[in-house]
Amino acid sequence: MQEASILVLEDERAIAEMIEIILRKEGIANITLCNTIEEAKNEINTKPFDFYLLDIMLPDGSGLDIAHIIREKSDAPIFYLTAKSSDADKLRGFMNGADDYITKPFNPLELVARVKVQLVRYMKKKNVQENHIFTCSRFTFDIDAAEIQVDGVKEMISGRLFHLLKYLCDNAGQVLSKEQIYESVWGDCLFDDNTVMVHIRKLREKIEKNPGKPTCIITVRGIGYKLVGDVSS
């Protein structure tokens, strides 16, 4: 997480500096502070960031207006930090690409904890995408070669199982509903519960020591599945 870069758009200098201090205490040194939308746009168009913390009410407009610019370039987490606290405001924020919405006044420790959760998850995903190799527990997945190694033994993986495993790796540690998995892997909104279960079973047969008692792809009862283990890339 030390290599992560964060853009903070906040026009209240005291708040911006306080956020910078608490993030630096967590080992995040690459922090860019902006106090206007125009300044933030220039930064966004110049370089990518791993996290965006945005105020909404700013001297030259609304922080909501730049979320679509970020989303055209990146799927990095976007947090809104604002005094606008109505349900309608929060809904508008989430509809404009927010991953979280924090209202002022806020608890600095809660803020940094929520930032860290999202940032760690994103950096893990980013590293997998950049390195194209994912290691978890007893298997290694080489995305470019469409190949997995289980306890050092190579196995080819093809078709839908490749896309299913890649989706699970991209979202390691997260509980994914069957509906989410189906829509992302099959690209179809007509959900088929049995299709997901059959392919999860086939994937477990590839990577689990005992598919009947899985330790990599676990079932979260009533919700879906989660890829767990010592994840690295």
Side-chain angles (χ1 to χ4, degrees):
M1 197 169 67
Q2 292 180 347
E3 70 274 17
S5 60
I6 294 182
L7 182 141
V8 177
L9 173 56
E10 170 60 62
D11 65 321
E12 294 186 46
R13 185 179 182 85
I15 294 178
E17 291 179 348
M18 182 267 290
I19 292 172
E20 182 179 23
I21 289 170
I22 60 176
L23 290 176
R24 288 190 184 280
K25 285 183 177 180
E26 295 299 321
I28 303 170
N30 191 0
I31 303 168
T32 299
L33 300 182
C34 302
N35 55 30
T36 66
I37 291 175
E38 193 61 32
E39 186 179 352
K41 285 181 178 179
N42 290 336
E43 293 288 348
I44 292 166
N45 289 324
T46 300
K47 58 186 176 183
F49 292 89
D50 300 306
F51 197 97
Y52 298 86
L53 186 58
L54 312 176
D55 192 1
I56 291 181
M57 296 184 291
L58 294 149
D60 55 342
S62 170
L64 296 172
D65 295 337
I66 66 171
H68 71 281
I69 299 175
I70 295 171
R71 282 290 170 255
E72 287 175 357
K73 300 173 178 291
S74 171
D75 62 349
I78 297 174
F79 274 26
Y80 285 119
L81 181 63
T82 175
K84 297 173 74 69
S85 59
S86 73
D87 289 342
D89 289 324
K90 293 178 182 179
L91 179 59
R92 193 174 299 112
F94 286 115
M95 290 178 66
N96 277 272
D99 293 278
D100 206 345
Y101 192 106
I102 302 172
T103 56
K104 301 175 183 177
F106 60 92
N107 183 323
L109 296 179
E110 179 185 352
L111 171 65
V112 75
R114 288 161 77 167
V115 168
K116 284 175 64 178
V117 167
Q118 289 280 355
L119 187 56
V120 167
R121 186 176 295 163
Y122 176 74
M123 295 302 290
K124 200 174 289 182
K125 176 181 175 181
K126 177 183 175 182
N127 288 337
V128 170
Q129 292 172 337
E130 290 178 350
N131 298 331
H132 307 289
I133 295 176
F134 186 96
T135 300
C136 180
S137 185
R138 62 191 295 267
F139 77 89
T140 299
F141 180 31
D142 186 328
I143 296 173
D144 288 342
E147 177 184 273
I148 57 175
Q149 284 193 31
V150 182
D151 291 337
V153 179
K154 289 184 179 181
E155 289 194 40
M156 299 304 294
I157 186 170
S158 60
R160 201 66 69 178
L161 291 185
F162 168 87
H163 295 290
L164 175 58
L165 182 55
K166 184 177 184 301
Y167 181 65
L168 292 173
C169 289
D170 284 346
N171 296 278
Q174 298 184 57
V175 178
L176 303 168
S177 70
K178 294 175 184 177
E179 290 88 346
Q180 283 177 297
I181 294 172
Y182 190 81
E183 183 177 344
S184 297
V185 176
W186 279 266
D188 192 341
C189 61
L190 298 175
F191 172 57
D192 187 337
D193 181 272
N194 188 62
T195 295
V196 175
M197 291 192 295
V198 167
H199 282 78
I200 288 288
R201 188 189 72 239
K202 290 180 179 179
L203 192 53
R204 282 172 169 164
E205 290 171 354
K206 285 272 191 183
I207 67 176
E208 298 281 3
K209 187 173 184 178
N210 182 354
K213 296 181 178 179
T215 59
C216 294
I217 303 173
I218 64 170
T219 300
V220 180
R221 190 177 300 277
I223 303 178
Y225 304 97
K226 178 170 69 170
L227 181 67
V228 299
D230 182 18
V231 179
S232 61
S233 61

PDB file of all heavy atoms in Angstrom, residues 148 155-158 160-162 164-165 186 194-208 211 217 225:
ATOM      1  N   ILE A 148      -2.801 -22.947 -14.914  1.00  0.00           N
ATOM      2  CA  ILE A 148      -2.688 -22.960 -13.467  1.00  0.00           C
ATOM      3  C   ILE A 148      -1.697 -24.043 -13.041  1.00  0.00           C
ATOM      4  O   ILE A 148      -1.521 -25.046 -13.734  1.00  0.00           O
ATOM      5  CB  ILE A 148      -4.046 -23.195 -12.760  1.00  0.00           C
ATOM      6  CG1 ILE A 148      -4.690 -24.498 -13.225  1.00  0.00           C
ATOM      7  CG2 ILE A 148      -4.968 -22.034 -12.954  1.00  0.00           C
ATOM      8  CD1 ILE A 148      -5.967 -24.816 -12.471  1.00  0.00           C
ATOM      9  N   GLU A 155      -1.601 -27.379 -15.044  1.00  0.00           N
ATOM     10  CA  GLU A 155      -2.859 -27.811 -15.629  1.00  0.00           C
ATOM     11  C   GLU A 155      -3.372 -26.704 -16.531  1.00  0.00           C
ATOM     12  O   GLU A 155      -3.318 -25.537 -16.172  1.00  0.00           O
ATOM     13  CB  GLU A 155      -3.907 -28.101 -14.547  1.00  0.00           C
ATOM     14  CG  GLU A 155      -3.642 -29.349 -13.725  1.00  0.00           C
ATOM     15  CD  GLU A 155      -4.874 -29.745 -12.921  1.00  0.00           C
ATOM     16  OE1 GLU A 155      -5.985 -29.633 -13.463  1.00  0.00           O
ATOM     17  OE2 GLU A 155      -4.714 -30.151 -11.768  1.00  0.00           O
ATOM     18  N   MET A 156      -3.848 -27.081 -17.689  1.00  0.00           N
ATOM     19  CA  MET A 156      -4.426 -26.097 -18.589  1.00  0.00           C
ATOM     20  C   MET A 156      -5.861 -25.812 -18.158  1.00  0.00           C
ATOM     21  O   MET A 156      -6.561 -26.686 -17.644  1.00  0.00           O
ATOM     22  CB  MET A 156      -4.412 -26.598 -20.038  1.00  0.00           C
ATOM     23  CG  MET A 156      -3.018 -26.886 -20.591  1.00  0.00           C
ATOM     24  SD  MET A 156      -1.902 -25.464 -20.481  1.00  0.00           S
ATOM     25  CE  MET A 156      -2.702 -24.313 -21.609  1.00  0.00           C
ATOM     26  N   ILE A 157      -6.270 -24.573 -18.338  1.00  0.00           N
ATOM     27  CA  ILE A 157      -7.642 -24.199 -18.017  1.00  0.00           C
ATOM     28  C   ILE A 157      -8.203 -23.431 -19.209  1.00  0.00           C
ATOM     29  O   ILE A 157      -7.521 -22.590 -19.801  1.00  0.00           O
ATOM     30  CB  ILE A 157      -7.690 -23.353 -16.725  1.00  0.00           C
ATOM     31  CG1 ILE A 157      -9.129 -23.087 -16.308  1.00  0.00           C
ATOM     32  CG2 ILE A 157      -6.909 -22.057 -16.876  1.00  0.00           C
ATOM     33  CD1 ILE A 157      -9.248 -22.468 -14.927  1.00  0.00           C
ATOM     34  N   SER A 158      -9.396 -23.747 -19.602  1.00  0.00           N
ATOM     35  CA  SER A 158      -9.915 -23.139 -20.826  1.00  0.00           C
ATOM     36  C   SER A 158     -11.339 -22.641 -20.634  1.00  0.00           C
ATOM     37  O   SER A 158     -11.995 -22.943 -19.634  1.00  0.00           O
ATOM     38  CB  SER A 158      -9.893 -24.162 -21.972  1.00  0.00           C
ATOM     39  OG  SER A 158     -10.692 -25.285 -21.644  1.00  0.00           O
ATOM     40  N   ARG A 160     -14.863 -21.122 -20.047  1.00  0.00           N
ATOM     41  CA  ARG A 160     -15.551 -20.398 -18.996  1.00  0.00           C
ATOM     42  C   ARG A 160     -14.844 -20.490 -17.648  1.00  0.00           C
ATOM     43  O   ARG A 160     -14.901 -19.556 -16.845  1.00  0.00           O
ATOM     44  CB  ARG A 160     -16.973 -20.944 -18.870  1.00  0.00           C
ATOM     45  CG  ARG A 160     -17.931 -19.990 -18.213  1.00  0.00           C
ATOM     46  CD  ARG A 160     -18.170 -18.752 -19.048  1.00  0.00           C
ATOM     47  NE  ARG A 160     -18.907 -19.023 -20.263  1.00  0.00           N
ATOM     48  CZ  ARG A 160     -19.273 -18.115 -21.139  1.00  0.00           C
ATOM     49  NH1 ARG A 160     -18.926 -16.846 -20.940  1.00  0.00           N
ATOM     50  NH2 ARG A 160     -19.949 -18.436 -22.226  1.00  0.00           N
ATOM     51  N   LEU A 161     -14.148 -21.600 -17.393  1.00  0.00           N
ATOM     52  CA  LEU A 161     -13.449 -21.729 -16.120  1.00  0.00           C
ATOM     53  C   LEU A 161     -12.342 -20.687 -15.992  1.00  0.00           C
ATOM     54  O   LEU A 161     -12.065 -20.190 -14.893  1.00  0.00           O
ATOM     55  CB  LEU A 161     -12.859 -23.131 -15.955  1.00  0.00           C
ATOM     56  CG  LEU A 161     -13.854 -24.275 -15.761  1.00  0.00           C
ATOM     57  CD1 LEU A 161     -13.104 -25.578 -15.494  1.00  0.00           C
ATOM     58  CD2 LEU A 161     -14.821 -23.984 -14.618  1.00  0.00           C
ATOM     59  N   PHE A 162     -11.710 -20.336 -17.104  1.00  0.00           N
ATOM     60  CA  PHE A 162     -10.691 -19.285 -17.091  1.00  0.00           C
ATOM     61  C   PHE A 162     -11.307 -17.966 -16.634  1.00  0.00           C
ATOM     62  O   PHE A 162     -10.783 -17.287 -15.753  1.00  0.00           O
ATOM     63  CB  PHE A 162     -10.075 -19.133 -18.485  1.00  0.00           C
ATOM     64  CG  PHE A 162      -9.234 -17.896 -18.647  1.00  0.00           C
ATOM     65  CD1 PHE A 162      -7.901 -17.903 -18.303  1.00  0.00           C
ATOM     66  CD2 PHE A 162      -9.781 -16.722 -19.143  1.00  0.00           C
ATOM     67  CE1 PHE A 162      -7.113 -16.762 -18.436  1.00  0.00           C
ATOM     68  CE2 PHE A 162      -9.017 -15.571 -19.289  1.00  0.00           C
ATOM     69  CZ  PHE A 162      -7.673 -15.598 -18.933  1.00  0.00           C
ATOM     70  N   LEU A 164     -14.092 -17.487 -15.049  1.00  0.00           N
ATOM     71  CA  LEU A 164     -14.593 -17.602 -13.685  1.00  0.00           C
ATOM     72  C   LEU A 164     -13.460 -17.439 -12.680  1.00  0.00           C
ATOM     73  O   LEU A 164     -13.579 -16.664 -11.718  1.00  0.00           O
ATOM     74  CB  LEU A 164     -15.272 -18.963 -13.497  1.00  0.00           C
ATOM     75  CG  LEU A 164     -15.747 -19.296 -12.075  1.00  0.00           C
ATOM     76  CD1 LEU A 164     -16.729 -18.243 -11.569  1.00  0.00           C
ATOM     77  CD2 LEU A 164     -16.385 -20.684 -12.051  1.00  0.00           C
ATOM     78  N   LEU A 165     -12.339 -18.129 -12.910  1.00  0.00           N
ATOM     79  CA  LEU A 165     -11.214 -18.023 -11.981  1.00  0.00           C
ATOM     80  C   LEU A 165     -10.629 -16.618 -11.988  1.00  0.00           C
ATOM     81  O   LEU A 165     -10.270 -16.085 -10.942  1.00  0.00           O
ATOM     82  CB  LEU A 165     -10.131 -19.046 -12.338  1.00  0.00           C
ATOM     83  CG  LEU A 165      -8.904 -19.082 -11.415  1.00  0.00           C
ATOM     84  CD1 LEU A 165      -9.324 -19.300  -9.967  1.00  0.00           C
ATOM     85  CD2 LEU A 165      -7.915 -20.158 -11.862  1.00  0.00           C
ATOM     86  N   TRP A 186     -20.722 -14.611 -17.421  1.00  0.00           N
ATOM     87  CA  TRP A 186     -21.516 -15.022 -18.576  1.00  0.00           C
ATOM     88  C   TRP A 186     -22.085 -13.832 -19.346  1.00  0.00           C
ATOM     89  O   TRP A 186     -22.541 -13.982 -20.474  1.00  0.00           O
ATOM     90  CB  TRP A 186     -22.649 -15.953 -18.135  1.00  0.00           C
ATOM     91  CG  TRP A 186     -22.196 -17.372 -17.945  1.00  0.00           C
ATOM     92  CD1 TRP A 186     -22.246 -18.383 -18.864  1.00  0.00           C
ATOM     93  CD2 TRP A 186     -21.577 -17.924 -16.764  1.00  0.00           C
ATOM     94  NE1 TRP A 186     -21.707 -19.532 -18.319  1.00  0.00           N
ATOM     95  CE2 TRP A 186     -21.287 -19.287 -17.045  1.00  0.00           C
ATOM     96  CE3 TRP A 186     -21.238 -17.412 -15.533  1.00  0.00           C
ATOM     97  CZ2 TRP A 186     -20.672 -20.126 -16.112  1.00  0.00           C
ATOM     98  CZ3 TRP A 186     -20.635 -18.243 -14.601  1.00  0.00           C
ATOM     99  CH2 TRP A 186     -20.358 -19.575 -14.883  1.00  0.00           C
ATOM    100  N   ASN A 194     -27.917 -22.753 -11.355  1.00  0.00           N
ATOM    101  CA  ASN A 194     -27.277 -24.056 -11.545  1.00  0.00           C
ATOM    102  C   ASN A 194     -25.986 -23.950 -12.345  1.00  0.00           C
ATOM    103  O   ASN A 194     -25.000 -24.653 -12.058  1.00  0.00           O
ATOM    104  CB  ASN A 194     -28.251 -25.011 -12.254  1.00  0.00           C
ATOM    105  CG  ASN A 194     -27.705 -26.425 -12.309  1.00  0.00           C
ATOM    106  OD1 ASN A 194     -27.473 -27.057 -11.287  1.00  0.00           O
ATOM    107  ND2 ASN A 194     -27.482 -26.922 -13.524  1.00  0.00           N
ATOM    108  N   THR A 195     -25.959 -23.058 -13.333  1.00  0.00           N
ATOM    109  CA  THR A 195     -24.758 -22.880 -14.149  1.00  0.00           C
ATOM    110  C   THR A 195     -23.576 -22.454 -13.293  1.00  0.00           C
ATOM    111  O   THR A 195     -22.462 -22.970 -13.431  1.00  0.00           O
ATOM    112  CB  THR A 195     -25.002 -21.831 -15.247  1.00  0.00           C
ATOM    113  OG1 THR A 195     -25.997 -22.322 -16.149  1.00  0.00           O
ATOM    114  CG2 THR A 195     -23.726 -21.544 -16.030  1.00  0.00           C
ATOM    115  N   VAL A 196     -23.805 -21.514 -12.390  1.00  0.00           N
ATOM    116  CA  VAL A 196     -22.738 -21.050 -11.507  1.00  0.00           C
ATOM    117  C   VAL A 196     -22.255 -22.179 -10.615  1.00  0.00           C
ATOM    118  O   VAL A 196     -21.045 -22.407 -10.480  1.00  0.00           O
ATOM    119  CB  VAL A 196     -23.215 -19.851 -10.642  1.00  0.00           C
ATOM    120  CG1 VAL A 196     -22.125 -19.456  -9.647  1.00  0.00           C
ATOM    121  CG2 VAL A 196     -23.575 -18.673 -11.529  1.00  0.00           C
ATOM    122  N   MET A 197     -23.162 -22.903 -10.003  1.00  0.00           N
ATOM    123  CA  MET A 197     -22.782 -23.983  -9.089  1.00  0.00           C
ATOM    124  C   MET A 197     -21.993 -25.078  -9.798  1.00  0.00           C
ATOM    125  O   MET A 197     -21.007 -25.599  -9.267  1.00  0.00           O
ATOM    126  CB  MET A 197     -24.031 -24.571  -8.428  1.00  0.00           C
ATOM    127  CG  MET A 197     -24.704 -23.634  -7.442  1.00  0.00           C
ATOM    128  SD  MET A 197     -25.967 -24.440  -6.430  1.00  0.00           S
ATOM    129  CE  MET A 197     -27.181 -24.871  -7.679  1.00  0.00           C
ATOM    130  N   VAL A 198     -22.400 -25.425 -11.009  1.00  0.00           N
ATOM    131  CA  VAL A 198     -21.701 -26.470 -11.779  1.00  0.00           C
ATOM    132  C   VAL A 198     -20.270 -26.042 -12.083  1.00  0.00           C
ATOM    133  O   VAL A 198     -19.322 -26.821 -11.924  1.00  0.00           O
ATOM    134  CB  VAL A 198     -22.463 -26.778 -13.084  1.00  0.00           C
ATOM    135  CG1 VAL A 198     -21.587 -27.626 -14.025  1.00  0.00           C
ATOM    136  CG2 VAL A 198     -23.762 -27.519 -12.776  1.00  0.00           C
ATOM    137  N   HIS A 199     -20.091 -24.813 -12.493  1.00  0.00           N
ATOM    138  CA  HIS A 199     -18.745 -24.339 -12.851  1.00  0.00           C
ATOM    139  C   HIS A 199     -17.871 -24.132 -11.611  1.00  0.00           C
ATOM    140  O   HIS A 199     -16.653 -24.358 -11.676  1.00  0.00           O
ATOM    141  CB  HIS A 199     -18.839 -23.053 -13.679  1.00  0.00           C
ATOM    142  CG  HIS A 199     -19.202 -23.298 -15.108  1.00  0.00           C
ATOM    143  ND1 HIS A 199     -20.491 -23.578 -15.508  1.00  0.00           N
ATOM    144  CD2 HIS A 199     -18.440 -23.331 -16.239  1.00  0.00           C
ATOM    145  CE1 HIS A 199     -20.517 -23.761 -16.820  1.00  0.00           C
ATOM    146  NE2 HIS A 199     -19.294 -23.612 -17.287  1.00  0.00           N
ATOM    147  N   ILE A 200     -18.455 -23.707 -10.508  1.00  0.00           N
ATOM    148  CA  ILE A 200     -17.688 -23.620  -9.258  1.00  0.00           C
ATOM    149  C   ILE A 200     -17.211 -25.020  -8.867  1.00  0.00           C
ATOM    150  O   ILE A 200     -16.055 -25.191  -8.444  1.00  0.00           O
ATOM    151  CB  ILE A 200     -18.542 -23.009  -8.124  1.00  0.00           C
ATOM    152  CG1 ILE A 200     -18.765 -21.509  -8.359  1.00  0.00           C
ATOM    153  CG2 ILE A 200     -17.888 -23.256  -6.770  1.00  0.00           C
ATOM    154  CD1 ILE A 200     -17.536 -20.641  -8.146  1.00  0.00           C
ATOM    155  N   ARG A 201     -18.080 -26.016  -9.008  1.00  0.00           N
ATOM    156  CA  ARG A 201     -17.683 -27.398  -8.687  1.00  0.00           C
ATOM    157  C   ARG A 201     -16.533 -27.860  -9.573  1.00  0.00           C
ATOM    158  O   ARG A 201     -15.558 -28.447  -9.100  1.00  0.00           O
ATOM    159  CB  ARG A 201     -18.875 -28.344  -8.848  1.00  0.00           C
ATOM    160  CG  ARG A 201     -18.577 -29.764  -8.353  1.00  0.00           C
ATOM    161  CD  ARG A 201     -19.656 -30.749  -8.687  1.00  0.00           C
ATOM    162  NE  ARG A 201     -19.657 -31.062 -10.105  1.00  0.00           N
ATOM    163  CZ  ARG A 201     -20.674 -30.867 -10.921  1.00  0.00           C
ATOM    164  NH1 ARG A 201     -21.791 -30.333 -10.482  1.00  0.00           N
ATOM    165  NH2 ARG A 201     -20.589 -31.176 -12.201  1.00  0.00           N
ATOM    166  N   LYS A 202     -16.613 -27.569 -10.874  1.00  0.00           N
ATOM    167  CA  LYS A 202     -15.548 -27.963 -11.797  1.00  0.00           C
ATOM    168  C   LYS A 202     -14.232 -27.269 -11.456  1.00  0.00           C
ATOM    169  O   LYS A 202     -13.156 -27.880 -11.550  1.00  0.00           O
ATOM    170  CB  LYS A 202     -15.954 -27.634 -13.237  1.00  0.00           C
ATOM    171  CG  LYS A 202     -17.065 -28.514 -13.790  1.00  0.00           C
ATOM    172  CD  LYS A 202     -17.400 -28.114 -15.218  1.00  0.00           C
ATOM    173  CE  LYS A 202     -18.490 -29.009 -15.794  1.00  0.00           C
ATOM    174  NZ  LYS A 202     -18.838 -28.607 -17.194  1.00  0.00           N
ATOM    175  N   LEU A 203     -14.321 -25.987 -11.077  1.00  0.00           N
ATOM    176  CA  LEU A 203     -13.118 -25.239 -10.724  1.00  0.00           C
ATOM    177  C   LEU A 203     -12.507 -25.786  -9.437  1.00  0.00           C
ATOM    178  O   LEU A 203     -11.279 -25.907  -9.325  1.00  0.00           O
ATOM    179  CB  LEU A 203     -13.465 -23.757 -10.570  1.00  0.00           C
ATOM    180  CG  LEU A 203     -12.302 -22.771 -10.483  1.00  0.00           C
ATOM    181  CD1 LEU A 203     -11.336 -22.933 -11.646  1.00  0.00           C
ATOM    182  CD2 LEU A 203     -12.837 -21.340 -10.436  1.00  0.00           C
ATOM    183  N   ARG A 204     -13.341 -26.129  -8.492  1.00  0.00           N
ATOM    184  CA  ARG A 204     -12.840 -26.738  -7.256  1.00  0.00           C
ATOM    185  C   ARG A 204     -12.128 -28.053  -7.535  1.00  0.00           C
ATOM    186  O   ARG A 204     -11.120 -28.386  -6.898  1.00  0.00           O
ATOM    187  CB  ARG A 204     -13.994 -26.956  -6.275  1.00  0.00           C
ATOM    188  CG  ARG A 204     -14.441 -25.695  -5.550  1.00  0.00           C
ATOM    189  CD  ARG A 204     -15.707 -25.939  -4.757  1.00  0.00           C
ATOM    190  NE  ARG A 204     -15.994 -24.828  -3.852  1.00  0.00           N
ATOM    191  CZ  ARG A 204     -17.186 -24.644  -3.276  1.00  0.00           C
ATOM    192  NH1 ARG A 204     -18.186 -25.486  -3.529  1.00  0.00           N
ATOM    193  NH2 ARG A 204     -17.357 -23.623  -2.457  1.00  0.00           N
ATOM    194  N   GLU A 205     -12.633 -28.806  -8.483  1.00  0.00           N
ATOM    195  CA  GLU A 205     -11.986 -30.076  -8.842  1.00  0.00           C
ATOM    196  C   GLU A 205     -10.593 -29.852  -9.411  1.00  0.00           C
ATOM    197  O   GLU A 205      -9.718 -30.713  -9.320  1.00  0.00           O
ATOM    198  CB  GLU A 205     -12.854 -30.831  -9.847  1.00  0.00           C
ATOM    199  CG  GLU A 205     -14.153 -31.377  -9.229  1.00  0.00           C
ATOM    200  CD  GLU A 205     -15.115 -31.935 -10.262  1.00  0.00           C
ATOM    201  OE1 GLU A 205     -14.822 -31.806 -11.486  1.00  0.00           O
ATOM    202  OE2 GLU A 205     -16.161 -32.490  -9.875  1.00  0.00           O
ATOM    203  N   LYS A 206     -10.380 -28.662  -9.960  1.00  0.00           N
ATOM    204  CA  LYS A 206      -9.070 -28.316 -10.510  1.00  0.00           C
ATOM    205  C   LYS A 206      -8.088 -27.874  -9.423  1.00  0.00           C
ATOM    206  O   LYS A 206      -6.907 -28.247  -9.458  1.00  0.00           O
ATOM    207  CB  LYS A 206      -9.220 -27.170 -11.520  1.00  0.00           C
ATOM    208  CG  LYS A 206      -9.815 -27.566 -12.852  1.00  0.00           C
ATOM    209  CD  LYS A 206      -8.744 -28.032 -13.803  1.00  0.00           C
ATOM    210  CE  LYS A 206      -9.289 -28.184 -15.208  1.00  0.00           C
ATOM    211  NZ  LYS A 206      -8.242 -28.709 -16.130  1.00  0.00           N
ATOM    212  N   ILE A 207      -8.564 -27.068  -8.473  1.00  0.00           N
ATOM    213  CA  ILE A 207      -7.621 -26.385  -7.582  1.00  0.00           C
ATOM    214  C   ILE A 207      -7.667 -26.823  -6.125  1.00  0.00           C
ATOM    215  O   ILE A 207      -6.739 -26.537  -5.376  1.00  0.00           O
ATOM    216  CB  ILE A 207      -7.807 -24.854  -7.648  1.00  0.00           C
ATOM    217  CG1 ILE A 207      -9.157 -24.438  -7.059  1.00  0.00           C
ATOM    218  CG2 ILE A 207      -7.651 -24.345  -9.077  1.00  0.00           C
ATOM    219  CD1 ILE A 207      -9.359 -22.936  -6.995  1.00  0.00           C
ATOM    220  N   GLU A 208      -8.723 -27.509  -5.722  1.00  0.00           N
ATOM    221  CA  GLU A 208      -8.850 -27.885  -4.318  1.00  0.00           C
ATOM    222  C   GLU A 208      -8.234 -29.263  -4.057  1.00  0.00           C
ATOM    223  O   GLU A 208      -8.359 -30.174  -4.879  1.00  0.00           O
ATOM    224  CB  GLU A 208     -10.331 -27.919  -3.897  1.00  0.00           C
ATOM    225  CG  GLU A 208     -11.054 -26.586  -4.012  1.00  0.00           C
ATOM    226  CD  GLU A 208     -10.749 -25.647  -2.845  1.00  0.00           C
ATOM    227  OE1 GLU A 208      -9.938 -26.006  -1.968  1.00  0.00           O
ATOM    228  OE2 GLU A 208     -11.343 -24.552  -2.825  1.00  0.00           O
ATOM    229  N   PRO A 211     -12.157 -31.290  -3.037  1.00  0.00           N
ATOM    230  CA  PRO A 211     -13.262 -30.448  -3.529  1.00  0.00           C
ATOM    231  C   PRO A 211     -14.496 -30.484  -2.643  1.00  0.00           C
ATOM    232  O   PRO A 211     -15.271 -29.525  -2.627  1.00  0.00           O
ATOM    233  CB  PRO A 211     -13.561 -31.048  -4.913  1.00  0.00           C
ATOM    234  CG  PRO A 211     -12.274 -31.698  -5.322  1.00  0.00           C
ATOM    235  CD  PRO A 211     -11.688 -32.243  -4.056  1.00  0.00           C
ATOM    236  N   ILE A 217     -11.946 -21.813  -2.547  1.00  0.00           N
ATOM    237  CA  ILE A 217     -13.220 -21.203  -2.927  1.00  0.00           C
ATOM    238  C   ILE A 217     -14.263 -21.690  -1.941  1.00  0.00           C
ATOM    239  O   ILE A 217     -14.729 -22.827  -2.021  1.00  0.00           O
ATOM    240  CB  ILE A 217     -13.627 -21.581  -4.366  1.00  0.00           C
ATOM    241  CG1 ILE A 217     -12.540 -21.192  -5.366  1.00  0.00           C
ATOM    242  CG2 ILE A 217     -14.942 -20.893  -4.741  1.00  0.00           C
ATOM    243  CD1 ILE A 217     -12.800 -21.694  -6.778  1.00  0.00           C
ATOM    244  N   TYR A 225     -20.010 -17.018  -3.027  1.00  0.00           N
ATOM    245  CA  TYR A 225     -18.698 -17.634  -2.871  1.00  0.00           C
ATOM    246  C   TYR A 225     -17.634 -16.577  -2.614  1.00  0.00           C
ATOM    247  O   TYR A 225     -17.802 -15.400  -2.932  1.00  0.00           O
ATOM    248  CB  TYR A 225     -18.331 -18.428  -4.131  1.00  0.00           C
ATOM    249  CG  TYR A 225     -19.337 -19.478  -4.501  1.00  0.00           C
ATOM    250  CD1 TYR A 225     -20.323 -19.226  -5.462  1.00  0.00           C
ATOM    251  CD2 TYR A 225     -19.329 -20.735  -3.886  1.00  0.00           C
ATOM    252  CE1 TYR A 225     -21.257 -20.192  -5.792  1.00  0.00           C
ATOM    253  CE2 TYR A 225     -20.259 -21.710  -4.213  1.00  0.00           C
ATOM    254  CZ  TYR A 225     -21.229 -21.428  -5.173  1.00  0.00           C
ATOM    255  OH  TYR A 225     -22.165 -22.382  -5.492  1.00  0.00           O
TER     256      TYR A 225
END
